[in-house]
Amino acid sequence: VQLQASGGGLVQAGGSLRLSCLASSSIFKFDAMGWYRQTPGKQRELVASITSVGGTNYADSVKGRFTISRDNAKNSVFLQMNSLKPEDTAVYYCNGASLYPFRDDWWGQGTQVTVSS
């Protein structure tokens, strides 16, 4: 399965962006899908995830501002990012994970999000 991320860009603080992740086949393959982000010199961190049954999880730093969703018919996962802050600037990566019998991850290419102050 290949994951194709898109939707990044340059936005002013307070603005919004919507990231999209398109899978090359059914996303039911994954127990969970998510968005991670990474800045230079730092580890990749989880931003938001959504399970195959729609359960969601968010990093504390984005709660109330970001919303993850999925469209199974379109094999896609989305991240709506509102009230963006300069500290949200990072490369965002789409992830698909199988959790059983052991964790296996699929990654899309990154998409750059830059928030100017």
Side-chain angles (χ1 to χ4, degrees), residues 1-5 19-23 27 29-37 44-51 68-70 76-79 92-99 103-110:
V1 178
Q2 293 184 329
L3 302 176
Q4 180 77 32
L19 304 183
S20 298
C21 176
L22 175 63
I27 60 175
K29 169 184 179 67
F30 304 116
D31 296 302
M33 296 194 72
W35 290 93
Y36 289 69
R37 66 187 180 188
R44 194 171 294 186
E45 64 173 1
L46 175 67
V47 176
S49 64
I50 186 166
T51 69
I68 190 169
S69 62
R70 59 192 288 160
S76 295
V77 174
F78 307 98
L79 185 68
Y92 284 71
Y93 296 90
C94 177
N95 168 269
S98 295
L99 303 179
R103 181 169 181 128
D104 200 3
D105 289 278
W106 285 257
W107 294 96
Q109 91 291 2

Side-chain angles (χ1 to χ4, degrees), residues 28-91:
F28 281 116
K29 169 184 179 67
F30 304 116
D31 296 302
M33 296 194 72
W35 290 93
Y36 289 69
R37 66 187 180 188
Q38 189 171 24
T39 54
K42 293 188 176 181
Q43 286 191 336
R44 194 171 294 186
E45 64 173 1
L46 175 67
V47 176
S49 64
I50 186 166
T51 69
S52 59
V53 295
T56 58
N57 181 50
Y58 296 92
D60 288 342
S61 60
V62 307
K63 284 180 180 176
R65 301 188 297 123
F66 292 9
T67 303
I68 190 169
S69 62
R70 59 192 288 160
D71 186 332
N72 296 327
K74 295 182 178 179
N75 295 329
S76 295
V77 174
F78 307 98
L79 185 68
Q80 179 66 43
M81 304 186 295
N82 298 328
S83 303
L84 282 161
K85 303 176 180 180
E87 50 263 44
D88 294 318
T89 296
V91 178

